[in-house]
Amino acid sequence: MAEKKPLRIGLVGYGFMGRTHSNAFRKAPNFFDFEHKPVLAAVCARNRNRARKFANQWGWESVETDWRKLVERDDIDVIDIASPNDTHHDIAIAAAEAGKAILCEKPLSRTGKEGEAMVRAVEKAGVPNMVWYNYRRVPAVSLAKDMIDEGRVGKVYHYRSNFLQDWTISEDLPQGGEGLWRLDAAVAGSGVTGDLLAHCIDTAIWLNGPIVEVSAMTETFVKKRKHTLTGKMQKVNIDDACAFLAKFRNGSLAIFESTRYARGHKALYTFEINGADGSLAWDLHDLHRLEYFDYDKADSKTRGWRSIHVSDNGGEHPYMDKWWVPGLNIGYEHTFVNQFADFVQSLESRKKRPDNRRPDFRDALETQYICETVLDSAKTGRWKKVPKFKG
Ligand code: SOE
């Protein structure tokens, strides 16, 4: 058997996302058939001892403490950015200039301007690039995409989506620093809009096409929090909650809501799409199910919602032929495995499927523009048009 080509990965960041990605790099070659052999070559973080501990736990071969060194290494093919949002721009641009393939955690950047520079850099360098909007790779969500593309919901009228959490209700929770940088606007770029609604938007534009106009409101419920790094009470600049109306280019209307103050909800991501011929609904807490209403004119007696358990492995349910046997579902971690597998296969010589490499930086910039337009609309109290990238 031909020797597999190594695909040597350098990871930046070892937090929550560093773990999900490391797990994907390890598991994917067990379940998917690659020409490449992913190699966990180096993990990079500022604290050497903790990086070493992480490396030992997850099987990374070496440790770096400066991402610039990692990017310069000749024995690295792919740079994976899993560090906080304020680092994405500089690392991605340096990695593109060094000719590396790039995987980047969502959101792409803090602002549209940062994102534009990142898109220009990867496209100028011609390097493969992808953003970890992992929920596209939930088999039930991929199935929804297939069904919409097959015309099963028909002309779309409505789209609605929520992402609800409750972990920032306590006024005593500080902002900033490791683990809490999502509450610090200087690092994160925004609050729930960039962190949670970005997922809803990415899925929505994938399923239902471009969003052209939005009208939004945001609120910051806790105005001041102690900053972990300075120890001082500081103004909170993120949006704690955001709701917005949107119009899609195809004429359908949408409503989106996200908050970290919905007591009782930990990560309730849902969407529903209503068309003339059918509807689809999905819920992250029951992620292996896709609810489907088929408006069958011929059979009004038995018409109704059905709950599809997305676990068949005969090729009808996306990704499931790679996992267990029908009836046995997969979960959150597998979305990252599926996405990384798509990325590797998009690089393979025998099956060049660049579509597998999406959302790429350009797709993620579209989401970034929508997030930015939402925040602008909330600030000005007006409907705003989503800009297009002139790159
Ligand atoms: C925030 O709590 C968070 O971890 C997001 O950053 C992730 O993108 C989302 O998938 C789950 O929630």
Side-chain angles (χ1 to χ4, degrees):
M1 222 168 71
E3 192 66 10
K4 295 202 179 209
K5 267 203 289 201
L7 186 68
R8 297 159 306 184
I9 306 161
L11 165 72
V12 188
Y14 56 20
F16 170 27
M17 285 303 127
R19 289 164 62 226
T20 60
H21 299 185
S22 299
N23 179 60
F25 303 148
R26 290 179 66 87
K27 293 258 174 74
N30 297 129
F31 290 92
F32 291 79
D33 180 23
F34 296 148
E35 288 168 11
H36 290 85
K37 177 179 163 20
V39 177
L40 283 70
V43 57
C44 176
R46 274 174 296 189
N47 184 316
R48 184 176 290 280
N49 287 340
R50 287 172 60 196
R52 194 157 273 145
K53 191 159 173 257
F54 183 87
N56 289 339
Q57 180 152 7
W58 288 96
W60 290 91
E61 289 176 356
S62 63
V63 164
E64 295 289 350
T65 52
D66 178 354
W67 63 260
R68 286 183 182 79
K69 279 225 176 93
L70 182 79
V71 165
E72 280 162 15
R73 271 174 58 165
D74 295 338
D75 64 339
I76 301 281
D77 306 303
V78 182
I79 294 292
D80 179 32
I81 307 169
S83 42
N85 302 350
D86 61 335
T87 65
H88 293 189
H89 169 271
D90 290 4
I91 302 173
I93 289 178
E97 283 168 359
K100 313 290 188 197
I102 308 172
L103 296 165
C104 182
E105 233 327 294
K106 50 64 53 178
L108 178 66
S109 51
R110 290 175 300 183
T111 61
K113 197 156 174 269
E114 278 185 347
E116 287 166 3
M118 293 164 76
V119 172
R120 287 200 179 98
V122 291
E123 293 188 356
K124 182 169 174 222
V127 293
N129 56 91
M130 190 169 75
V131 178
W132 291 97
Y133 279 109
N134 61 301
Y135 296 114
R136 288 192 186 196
R137 266 70 179 191
V138 175
V141 177
S142 301
L143 180 65
K145 167 75 174 158
D146 289 350
M147 291 172 71
I148 292 164
D149 289 354
E150 285 162 14
R152 290 185 192 244
V153 302
K155 181 175 165 45
V156 177
Y157 294 111
H158 293 287
Y159 192 97
R160 59 190 73 82
S161 188
N162 288 336
F163 206 137
L164 311 178
Q165 299 186 331
D166 71 354
W167 60 282
T168 64
I169 294 180
S170 166
E171 299 199 359
D172 298 333
L173 189 73
Q175 58 172 318
E178 210 173 300
L180 291 171
W181 59 263
R182 283 178 177 78
L183 304 196
D184 182 348
V187 177
S190 67
V192 295
T193 301
D195 190 37
L196 303 177
L197 281 173
H199 280 301
C200 303
I201 294 165
D202 174 71
T203 311
I205 61 180
W206 186 49
L207 297 180
N208 196 37
I211 287 175
V212 290
E213 222 178 325
V214 299
S215 173
M217 61 178 171
T218 57
E219 186 54 74
T220 304
F221 296 119
V222 176
K223 311 283 184 211
K224 281 188 164 194
R225 290 183 188 274
K226 195 180 193 179
H227 200 289
T228 312
L229 303 181
T230 62
K232 293 196 185 116
M233 287 300 278
Q234 280 175 217
K235 185 167 177 269
V236 174
N237 292 313
I238 57 158
D239 43 304
D240 285 336
C242 176
F244 75 96
L245 302 174
K247 294 179 193 165
F248 285 87
R249 193 197 280 160
N250 67 7
S252 57
L253 305 184
I255 177 158
F256 291 83
E257 186 195 3
S258 185
T259 176
R260 293 177 178 140
Y261 288 69
R263 183 60 92 203
H265 292 305
K266 303 300 171 192
L268 185 68
Y269 173 21
T270 58
F271 70 75
E272 178 166 330
I273 184 164
N274 310 126
D277 303 328
S279 289
L280 292 165
W282 176 80
D283 169 350
L284 176 58
H285 285 189
D286 216 359
L287 86 175
H288 51 283
R289 289 198 173 272
L290 183 64
E291 307 299 322
Y292 174 43
F293 181 89
D294 179 12
Y295 181 72
D296 179 0
K297 290 193 186 69
D299 189 6
S300 54
K301 234 188 236 169
T302 60
R303 183 189 295 151
W305 281 90
R306 70 175 99 141
S307 178
I308 308 170
H309 191 263
V310 186
S311 66
D312 280 339
N313 67 357
E316 55 283 78
H317 289 164
Y319 302 104
M320 293 312 295
D321 57 322
K322 299 292 182 298
W323 294 96
W324 314 114
V325 295
L328 303 187
N329 40 272
I330 59 172
Y332 173 74
E333 75 192 68
H334 305 87
T335 61
F336 294 90
V337 183
N338 293 342
Q339 180 161 6
F340 178 61
D342 279 347
F343 179 76
V344 176
Q345 286 177 343
S346 80
L347 307 172
E348 316 255 271
S349 55
R350 57 190 152 102
K351 38 192 172 201
K352 271 225 179 319
R353 287 185 293 181
D355 254 16
N356 281 6
R357 215 182 282 156
R358 296 180 71 181
D360 58 16
F361 278 26
R362 194 175 263 264
D363 296 321
L365 177 60
E366 192 178 334
T367 294
Q368 207 63 44
Y369 279 152
I370 296 167
C371 290
E372 204 163 78
T373 311
V374 161
L375 294 170
D376 183 28
S377 164
K379 212 185 281 165
T380 55
R382 292 181 183 281
W383 277 91
K384 292 279 172 178
K385 288 204 181 351
V386 178
K388 285 201 192 77
F389 180 46
K390 297 184 194 81

